[in-house]
Amino acid sequence: MASPSRRKTMTPVPSSSRLWLPDLLPPSQWEPSAACRTVDPQVFFPSTDGQGPEQTTEAAKRVCNRCPVRRACLAHAMQNQEPVGIWGGLTTRERGRLLADLIRDPRGF
């Protein structure tokens, strides 16, 4: 969790929830710097085609872990409620858990 002095400006998510996320940059401003831009997109949408989902998920997370715009990507996925794929280093299930945590304590992002 960021220290109070380092928190970013917060923007409400347009919904009935009380969730707050950092101000979003348009994807056109952060996507060119994304580590995934040169990686096969299928890496971020794991399927069970011979490799276990854990293997393909871990491959995507390794890319995300070295990405300079990971936080912007995650904020984009949360704001737009991306239903599938690995965004900002989190799976759909992990984003769901983060969303639940943020609803309980919106200051935690």
Side-chain angles (χ1 to χ4, degrees):
M1 176 163 41
S3 66
S5 63
R6 298 184 74 199
R7 284 201 183 122
K8 298 188 181 230
T9 305
M10 303 303 258
T11 302
V13 173
S15 73
S16 60
S17 77
R18 297 181 313 192
L19 176 65
W20 294 78
L21 293 172
D23 282 336
L24 295 177
L25 294 173
S28 61
Q29 289 186 13
W30 56 265
E31 283 179 341
S33 299
C36 63
R37 73 188 180 287
T38 59
V39 177
D40 181 354
Q42 290 303 314
V43 170
F44 301 93
F45 298 92
S47 65
T48 55
D49 59 356
Q51 287 190 34
E54 296 83 21
Q55 287 178 307
T56 53
T57 298
E58 289 307 313
K61 288 183 173 193
R62 281 192 301 274
V63 173
C64 294
N65 284 339
R66 62 179 167 80
C67 185
V69 296
R70 178 180 178 180
R71 190 172 175 94
C73 177
L74 177 58
H76 167 83
M78 299 291 289
Q79 181 82 24
N80 293 290
Q81 299 175 349
E82 290 290 348
V84 296
I86 296 168
W87 293 80
L90 298 182
T91 64
T92 304
R93 181 173 288 168
E94 290 165 337
R95 290 192 308 276
R97 282 188 221 128
L98 177 59
L99 179 62
D101 291 345
L102 288 171
I103 290 170
R104 280 192 296 276
D105 181 7
R107 298 167 294 150
F109 192 79

